[in-house]
Amino acid sequence: EAGVVQSPRYKIIEKKQPVAFWCNPISGHNTLYWYLQNLGQGPELLIRYENEEAVDDSQLPKDRFSAERLKGVDSTLKIQPAELGDSAVYLCASSLDVIGLNTGELFFGEGSRLTVL
Amino acid sequence: LAKTTQPISMDSYEGQEVNITCSHNNIATNDYITWYQQFPSQGPRFIIQGYKTKVTNEVASLFIPADRKSSTLSLPRVSLSDTAVYYCLVGYNAGNMLTFGGGTRLMVKP
């Protein structure tokens, strides 16, 4: 079974340039997450989707970050324009959430490492 | 959401048992406790989850006392490949347990 697939694995851009990350979750998983992880720190949630609806985007810096999950499957996270402080690893995760059933398991991709020069 | 506290780092030697304790004083009745492992350049990976008492799988054991205000991840006979960061999360489903915290950096030495 294929896991969560992310691309690109690495991206180097200059500040003020746009960048986009793509995520393909595990087939059948209805919930998708984007996390940001700075070096030496734990992942921080940016946005959570249930199917195609963003149900928690309170931590997403909406002035420069945007995300979409069309058709409730793949998702794209975009940064425009990128700033030096956006250098980090962007992790995508998915889970199967059923009302009344605790699953508690997030499946993560390998992440996309962004370097902004 | 329940806040968790873990040691920042731990050292061990190959073959030893390692116990990592997580404090979660304000855990709610419906909350589960989940542990993840993360290697460099990889996303976190689910290790084990429990609600109370003891849970064991092929990788680890999870001990949860009756008051559930803490939990201990036990890794039997660690090897060098167990060197990683371990995160404790608390919540009642995958959509709720979203806060990873800083984790515990385990270094296993030869």
Side-chain angles (χ1 to χ4, degrees):
Chain A
E1 178 183 337
V4 175
V5 179
Q6 291 188 246
S7 68
R9 285 295 313 277
Y10 304 93
K11 188 72 175 180
I12 302 174
I13 61 172
E14 294 186 346
K15 62 181 180 182
K16 300 185 181 180
Q17 293 298 307
V19 64
F21 305 110
W22 174 80
C23 173
N24 181 243
I26 291 175
S27 177
H29 280 194
N30 54 341
T31 306
L32 183 146
Y33 314 74
W34 282 102
Y35 282 86
L36 175 154
Q37 186 170 28
N38 288 305
L39 187 63
Q41 299 182 23
E44 303 170 33
L45 181 71
L46 289 173
I47 189 168
R48 174 169 67 98
Y49 283 93
E50 289 183 5
N51 299 306
E52 64 275 7
E53 181 183 0
V55 296
D56 184 354
D57 63 355
S58 58
Q59 301 303 312
L60 189 72
K62 298 180 183 63
D63 57 336
R64 297 183 300 106
F65 286 65
S66 64
E68 60 182 11
R69 191 185 185 197
L70 300 177
K71 301 181 181 179
V73 182
D74 294 4
S75 178
T76 303
L77 177 70
K78 297 178 181 178
I79 309 174
Q80 182 171 8
E83 297 179 352
L84 296 176
D86 296 331
S87 294
V89 175
Y90 292 85
L91 293 163
C92 178
S94 69
S95 66
L96 178 61
D97 293 307
V98 178
I99 294 175
L101 175 67
N102 178 294
T103 58
E105 183 171 357
L106 302 179
F107 294 82
F108 283 85
E110 293 186 303
S112 295
R113 182 178 296 276
L114 173 66
T115 301
V116 182
L117 303 177
Chain B
L1 296 175
K3 176 180 169 59
T4 60
T5 303
Q6 307 174 229
I8 293 175
S9 63
M10 296 181 67
D11 288 343
S12 182
Y13 291 93
E14 283 189 291
Q16 289 187 333
E17 178 184 77
V18 171
N19 295 308
I20 305 174
T21 297
C22 178
S23 297
H24 27 79
N25 291 320
N26 59 339
I27 188 170
T29 302
N30 294 334
D31 286 345
Y32 281 70
I33 301 154
T34 308
W35 286 79
Y36 284 81
Q37 174 191 56
Q38 186 176 26
F39 298 114
S41 300
Q42 295 186 24
R45 182 175 70 106
F46 175 94
I47 301 176
I48 197 167
Q49 182 183 76
Y51 183 81
K52 62 180 180 181
T53 63
K54 177 184 175 182
V55 179
T56 297
N57 61 23
E58 64 278 6
V59 177
S61 293
L62 179 60
F63 298 92
I64 305 169
D67 66 6
R68 304 199 327 122
K69 293 184 182 300
S70 67
S71 59
T72 299
L73 174 72
S74 181
L75 305 172
R77 299 181 297 280
V78 294
S79 64
L80 297 177
S81 62
D82 292 315
T83 294
V85 179
Y86 293 83
Y87 296 97
C88 164
L89 282 75
V90 172
Y92 58 82
N93 60 33
N96 172 255
M97 51 180 76
L98 306 171
T99 304
F100 274 77
T104 298
R105 296 183 176 279
L106 173 65
M107 174 66 74
V108 180
K109 303 175 183 178

